[in-house]
């Protein structure tokens, strides 16, 4: 949304400052960021449930309500600023879980009224991409966005982030999280992290379904098969939990790298960037780097400060939007569980020079690596 009331955002080129509120899932984050991407504060609190369980919307929303005001105060104190220095209040409009999203939307509206600052509702997926770009310095990479709620292969074109491929059922992070519950891995600090650590000790590759449908992927059937395989093989002592974690991770990531490489070939782009919570995984980094290197390109990755949901990415993307005329009227400052990445008008990248197309190298076919084939 645009409003003439805030036209100064287009005219005044002083460096601006924003606060961002993120709470679309079990991470509650508050960040304060300068327009050049400098992060003044980026505090976060995670709702962690016992092993074998997940997080439900009602309990997650209660967690966010309990901690959000304290985190806002912490962020302001850490940034060493006063609320009147802020130019806008940014919050996650969607996608995500309804209850947790609503908590942050309500608090954002409250802060907007208290501090007399305009509101900017931000798309969670776009925020991951923009945070990745400013942190890594990547100009126009194909983005592999992988998290607990989303799995998309994305490339920018004509003021939109175009989705070239995505999951047709559950997200890759959801698949990993649910498998962690099946084998009773801890949720602290996260199920995906604990699967990554267990996979390092895997010594046997267990074959699982490999489901790529054109540019899209499917994980639900793999999860069901992995659950049955775990019950059968673990019961007979034919493999370990570490072996299953290794096998699942290799299979899922091979599917993602295959579709990502195909998007790069189509776009004539030799740069790739992993974003989202699963984008922290170092094995995924390794596979993307190998693929990009074989294409004469480069893979960009970030660590858990920026990959995992955080308030700074919302604040930074909100500032980009605000600078280019996006303002969310108070009466429309709601949230939505469904908000497509390609629904957002990316007018802050419209003036960039498009990369010249290059001949696409022959595409390699990705298959899971067995333990004996793993890089030293």
């Amino acid at each position: 949304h645009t409003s003439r009331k805030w036209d100064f955002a287009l005219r005044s080129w002083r460096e601006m400052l924003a606060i961002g509120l993120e709470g679309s899932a079990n991470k509650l984050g508050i960040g304060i960021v300068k327009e050049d991407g400098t992060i003044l504060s980026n505090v976060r609190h995670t709702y962690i449930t016992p092993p074998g369980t997940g997080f439900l919307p009602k309990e997650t929303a209660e967690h966010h309500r309990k901690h959000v005001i304290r985190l806002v105060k912490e962020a302001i104190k850490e940034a060493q600023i006063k609320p009147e220095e802020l130019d806008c209040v940014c919050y996650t409009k969607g996608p995500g879980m309804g209850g947790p999203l609503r908590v942050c939307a309500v608090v954002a509206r409250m802060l907007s009224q208290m501090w007399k600052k305009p509101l900017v509702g931000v798309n969670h997926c776009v925020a991951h991409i923009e945070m990745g770009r400013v942190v890594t310095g990547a100009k126009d990479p194909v983005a592999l966005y992988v998290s607990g709620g989303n799995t998309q292969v994305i490339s920018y074109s004509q003021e939109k982030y175009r989705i070239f491929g995505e999951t047709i059922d559950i997200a890759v992070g959801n698949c990993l999280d649910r498998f962690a519950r099946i084998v009773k891995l801890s949720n602290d600090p996260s199920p995906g992290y604990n699967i990554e650590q267990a996979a390092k000790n895997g010594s046997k590759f267990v074959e699982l379904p490999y489901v790529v449908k054109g540019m899209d992927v499917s994980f639900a059937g793999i999860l069901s098969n992995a659950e049955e395989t775990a019950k059968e093989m673990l019961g007979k002592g034919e493999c370990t939990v570490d072996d299953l974690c290794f096998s699942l991770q290799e299979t899922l990531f091979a599917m993602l790298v295959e579709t990502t490489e195909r998007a790069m070939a189509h776009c004539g782009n030799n740069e790739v960037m992993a974003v989202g919570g699963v984008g922290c995984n170092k094995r995924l980094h390794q596979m993307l780097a190998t693929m990009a290197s074989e294409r004469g390109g480069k893979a960009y990755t970030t660590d858990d400060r920026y990959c995992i949901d955080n308030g700074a990415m919302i604040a930074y993307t909100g500032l980009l939007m605000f600078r280019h005329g996006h303002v969310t009227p108070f009466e429309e400052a709601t949230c939505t569980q469904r908000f497509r990445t390609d629904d957002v008008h990316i007018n802050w990248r419209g003036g960039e020079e498009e990369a010249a197309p290059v001949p696409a190298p022959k595409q390699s076919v990705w298959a899971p690596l067995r333990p004996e084939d793993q890089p030293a």
Side-chain angles (χ1 to χ4, degrees):
H1 302 285
T2 59
S3 170
R4 289 185 179 179
K5 184 178 179 182
W6 306 109
D7 273 351
F8 71 85
L10 295 171
R11 297 195 302 266
S12 173
W13 284 97
R14 66 177 178 80
E15 189 170 65
M16 296 194 291
L17 195 66
I19 186 170
L21 292 81
E22 156 59 29
S24 59
N26 68 325
K27 276 87 175 172
L28 174 65
I30 311 294
I32 296 176
V33 178
K34 288 183 178 180
E35 196 171 2
D36 65 356
T38 302
I39 298 173
L40 302 183
S41 62
N42 195 21
V43 298
R44 184 165 54 202
H45 196 277
T46 303
Y47 175 50
I48 297 174
T49 59
T53 64
F55 51 92
L56 301 174
K58 181 180 178 182
E59 287 78 7
T60 307
E62 288 173 356
H63 165 269
H64 289 6
R65 281 195 293 270
K66 179 180 178 181
H67 295 282
V68 64
I69 299 302
R70 173 180 62 82
L71 289 183
V72 169
K73 291 178 179 178
E74 278 185 23
I76 291 173
K77 183 178 180 180
E78 186 178 313
Q80 299 182 338
I81 63 149
K82 297 177 181 178
E84 51 264 34
E85 296 178 59
L86 295 167
D87 289 279
C88 57
V89 175
C90 312
Y91 74 98
T92 303
K93 188 175 180 68
M97 300 170 73
L101 279 172
R102 197 174 300 117
V103 172
C104 288
V106 168
V107 173
R109 292 198 295 267
M110 176 193 74
L111 296 177
S112 171
Q113 289 184 302
M114 281 177 52
W115 298 338
K116 297 179 173 54
K117 304 294 181 183
L119 281 163
V120 182
V122 176
N123 180 288
H124 178 88
C125 315
V126 171
H128 271 297
I129 297 171
E130 295 301 345
M131 185 88 262
R133 289 181 68 228
V134 73
V135 167
T136 64
K139 186 174 188 286
D140 185 31
V142 169
L144 174 60
Y145 172 36
V146 278
S147 69
N150 301 277
T151 300
Q152 296 175 339
V153 180
I154 302 162
S155 184
Y156 172 78
S157 177
Q158 298 179 343
E159 299 193 345
K160 291 273 188 175
Y161 278 122
R162 312 289 176 173
I163 299 172
F164 282 78
E166 59 190 320
T167 176
I168 60 174
D169 39 56
I170 63 174
V172 63
N174 186 247
C175 180
L176 291 168
D177 291 353
R178 288 164 66 177
F179 183 74
R181 289 179 222 162
I182 292 168
V183 294
K184 298 295 189 293
L185 289 180
S186 172
N187 290 324
D188 188 10
S190 72
Y193 175 81
N194 292 324
I195 283 181
E196 179 184 0
Q197 303 316 306
K200 293 176 182 177
N201 300 316
S203 59
K204 179 180 180 179
F205 180 79
V206 178
E207 190 168 345
L208 297 170
Y210 185 96
V211 191
V212 174
K213 298 176 180 291
M215 283 299 295
D216 295 330
V217 290
S218 171
F219 301 118
I222 300 174
L223 177 63
S224 299
N225 184 278
E227 181 174 10
E228 292 301 315
T229 301
K231 289 178 182 177
E232 181 181 342
M233 296 186 72
L234 290 176
K236 294 179 180 179
E238 295 177 349
C239 71
T240 65
V241 169
D242 292 347
D243 293 334
L244 290 173
C245 289
F246 165 74
S247 304
L248 181 64
Q249 188 173 267
E250 289 296 305
T251 303
L252 300 184
F253 292 173
M255 292 163 54
L256 294 171
V257 172
E258 178 189 333
T259 53
T260 302
E261 183 175 19
R262 196 175 294 128
M264 292 169 69
H266 178 80
C267 297
N269 192 332
N270 285 335
E271 293 186 334
V272 61
M273 177 178 70
V275 296
V278 181
C280 296
N281 189 291
K282 288 184 170 53
R283 176 57 185 146
L284 179 59
H285 293 182
Q286 187 181 57
M287 294 173 74
L288 286 171
T290 300
M291 178 269 285
S293 176
E294 290 176 355
R295 297 179 59 81
K298 184 176 180 180
Y300 294 91
T301 57
T302 61
D303 59 31
D304 59 0
R305 292 173 298 172
Y306 311 111
C307 266
I308 294 175
D309 294 351
N310 62 88
M313 71 183 197
I314 302 301
Y316 176 68
T317 307
L319 272 178
L320 291 177
M321 297 173 67
F322 186 57
R323 169 66 77 185
H324 290 81
H326 295 253
V327 173
T328 304
F330 189 84
E331 61 274 13
E332 296 178 22
T334 55
C335 55
T336 175
Q337 291 178 265
R338 291 174 175 81
F339 190 2
R340 295 278 296 179
T341 311
D342 48 8
D343 282 343
V344 182
H345 181 207
I346 314 294
N347 61 336
W348 55 91
R349 289 190 60 178
E352 292 185 8
E353 183 180 347
E354 294 291 332
V358 296
K362 183 178 178 181
Q363 183 176 322
S364 60
V365 177
W366 274 86
L369 284 178
R370 299 179 183 278
E372 59 270 22
D373 299 326
Q374 291 288 346

